[in-house]
Amino acid sequence: MKNMARLSIFVFLMGAMCYGQTVYEYSQPKERDDGWKTNNLRSQKVDTTRIYQLFGQVLNGKNKLHSVLLVQNGQLIIEEYFNKNSVDKLHDLRSTTKSIRSILMGIAIDKGFVAQIDDPISKYLKKPVPAKNMDKGKEKITIKHLLTMSSGLDCNDWDKKSAGQEDRVYKKKDWLQYTLDLPMVNEPGTVSNYCSMGVVLLAEIISQTSGMTIDKFAERHLFDHLGIADLSWGHTSDKKVIPSGKRLYMTSRDMAKIGQLVLNRGKWNEKQIVSEKWIVESTTPKTKITGMDYGYLWWNIPFRTNNKEFVAKVATGNGGQYIMIFPELDLVAVFTGGAYNSQEDKLPFAIMKDIFLPTFSGKK
């Protein structure tokens, strides 16, 4: 993930925060008839000292955290909201939506709408078609290249000079046409650059092959099975945005369901929602972006604690929206926040490294 090297700053800040003298009262998450079973943190046989100190500081200090949830062994054991946020509030997931679109592509393959990810996108994306910067390389762009952000198009959200940088595209009338008309700067599959517009093309492929807008496809084939109904799709752009370009707004509890689905390799309540093969394949590293392992729109981020390394499958979004999955610990963590375009959005990584992982990896 971008700027992960600066995480040490926040580790230091958390180290200072964790020993403040504050009061925090833990409450077991409530049963809400939403598919979640809950349990009491005190029953987990862990030393909760660090957790109490953390939340005491968060409640009394200045920060941009909105929520922190922790699920272990399929049970919700921590659920805290801060800065006027609540259990029912929908959060703008930003790029966390990308990882959910990866799941949707897996379902599209399972249902036969898409044959295989090695197919060229031109097989499925019937309109629009490239009209500028014609290059034979565009004929080689596959669905897999979009999933690994290696299309070769001049599309790099982390380079303001890139023609396909997302903020530039948001000003255009037709995002799809503009993206397909971008010049090629690399051979497809050779270089991965963070490209939001490539994921918009993926969503449009699902839409065109299924005959359903991406929101309706997601509702029928994913969210209905998870019991997720309270959500919306939107965007911060002032212009009219096509359904494939919109991102998700969800509650923290429903974000945790996505994490649990991935942890369970595509199952929810013993029902296979997306194939186990796809979940394993999509969350396994395929490339690197700024030195970090990346699968099919899922990050693999290592955490080292108690002299042991844990690799998390992570969905990330600007501002501090995270779904972190630790298969080895049967653990899912969800964070939401309002630290947009700020290094403060990395604070959840420090919380995991310095608080939660030392606590639960040493569980008796």
Side-chain angles (χ1 to χ4, degrees):
M1 218 181 105
K2 189 183 181 187
N3 293 328
M4 281 294 291
R6 300 182 184 179
L7 183 59
S8 58
I9 297 173
F10 294 93
V11 172
F12 173 79
L13 288 175
M14 286 305 303
M17 287 172 60
C18 288
Y19 297 98
Q21 298 299 314
T22 57
V23 176
Y24 160 71
E25 295 183 7
Y26 168 81
S27 295
Q28 178 177 331
K30 294 181 180 179
E31 299 275 355
R32 294 183 174 272
D33 194 30
D34 61 356
W36 277 119
K37 295 179 180 178
T38 74
N39 204 341
N40 197 296
L41 175 62
R42 300 186 186 93
S43 70
Q44 302 303 302
K45 297 181 180 180
V46 297
D47 183 350
T48 60
T49 303
R50 296 187 190 195
I51 295 174
Y52 276 61
Q53 290 172 336
L54 162 69
F55 288 134
Q57 289 293 342
V58 172
L59 286 169
N60 293 284
K62 292 183 178 181
N63 60 79
K64 296 178 180 178
L65 282 174
H66 289 175
S67 70
V68 179
L69 278 67
L70 204 67
V71 178
Q72 189 166 50
N73 301 321
Q75 297 178 320
L76 185 60
I77 59 174
I78 292 176
E79 182 180 25
E80 302 293 349
Y81 299 91
F82 311 102
N83 296 307
K84 299 181 180 181
N85 287 273
S86 63
V87 63
D88 297 320
K89 184 171 182 178
L90 300 182
H91 298 269
D92 181 355
L93 268 57
R94 298 294 175 108
S95 287
T96 300
T97 303
K98 290 181 173 68
S99 301
I100 297 174
R101 283 184 174 137
S102 174
I103 295 173
L104 295 177
M105 177 54 73
I107 293 173
I109 293 171
D110 292 343
K111 301 293 183 183
F113 296 118
V114 173
Q116 57 183 1
I117 61 173
D118 289 322
D119 285 339
I121 63 174
S122 58
K123 177 179 178 180
Y124 304 102
L125 196 60
K126 299 305 180 183
K127 58 179 182 179
V129 296
K132 296 180 180 179
N133 295 309
M134 304 306 291
D135 188 307
K136 289 188 177 181
K138 291 187 178 183
E139 300 173 7
K140 301 177 183 178
I141 299 174
T142 65
I143 291 175
K144 183 176 181 179
H145 293 146
L146 297 183
L147 287 164
T148 55
M149 298 195 176
S150 60
S151 68
L153 292 168
D154 184 8
C155 180
N156 185 349
D157 294 345
W158 297 341
D159 180 0
K160 292 184 178 180
K161 296 180 181 179
S162 172
Q165 198 269 345
E166 59 179 333
D167 292 327
R168 288 192 176 195
V169 182
Y170 295 159
K171 299 175 183 178
K172 306 301 179 180
K173 182 178 180 180
D174 188 333
W175 295 2
L176 297 175
Q177 187 68 66
Y178 180 82
T179 300
L180 290 170
D181 287 345
L182 289 169
M184 297 291 292
V185 293
N186 295 299
E187 182 72 13
T190 59
V191 178
S192 293
N193 290 313
Y194 199 80
C195 173
S196 292
M197 288 307 118
V199 186
V200 174
L201 292 179
L202 276 175
E204 184 64 18
I205 287 172
I206 295 172
S207 179
Q208 291 191 19
T209 57
S210 67
M212 306 171 69
T213 56
I214 193 68
D215 54 328
K216 296 301 182 184
F217 182 92
E219 178 183 353
R220 177 180 296 182
H221 297 294
L222 178 60
F223 297 141
D224 281 353
H225 296 296
L226 300 179
I228 297 175
D230 186 16
L231 58 82
S232 65
W233 294 77
H235 204 280
T236 49
S237 174
D238 294 331
K239 295 181 180 293
K240 184 178 179 180
V241 178
I242 61 173
S244 295
K246 294 180 180 179
R247 55 182 183 251
L248 278 162
Y249 292 68
M250 298 176 68
T251 67
S252 301
R253 277 193 170 214
D254 288 342
M255 290 172 67
K257 288 183 179 180
I258 298 297
Q260 192 66 34
L261 178 74
V262 172
L263 180 64
N264 292 342
R265 297 192 171 192
K267 283 187 177 181
W268 178 258
N269 290 337
E270 300 306 314
K271 182 177 181 180
Q272 199 77 42
I273 309 303
V274 58
S275 66
E276 177 178 354
K277 178 182 178 182
W278 179 260
I279 292 297
V280 172
E281 187 74 7
S282 63
T283 59
T284 299
K286 298 293 185 300
T287 187
K288 288 182 181 291
I289 300 179
T290 61
M292 298 295 296
D293 284 334
Y294 199 67
Y296 297 156
L297 308 181
W298 283 93
W299 298 92
N300 277 243
I301 299 178
F303 293 78
R304 190 162 188 83
T305 187
N306 291 340
N307 296 318
K308 188 173 182 180
E309 184 175 87
F310 299 93
V311 178
K313 315 296 182 180
V314 184
T316 73
N318 186 6
Q321 329 313 319
Y322 300 105
I323 302 173
M324 302 184 185
I325 302 140
F326 295 84
E328 191 173 348
L329 297 174
D330 200 359
L331 189 73
V332 174
V334 165
F335 298 87
T336 59
Y340 299 107
N341 302 313
S342 166
Q343 278 298 297
E344 287 186 58
D345 74 350
K346 304 301 186 296
L347 183 58
F349 290 96
I351 292 175
M352 286 305 309
K353 181 179 182 298
D354 293 349
I355 309 297
F356 289 148
L357 289 179
T359 297
F360 290 95
S361 64
K363 186 175 178 180
K364 296 179 181 180

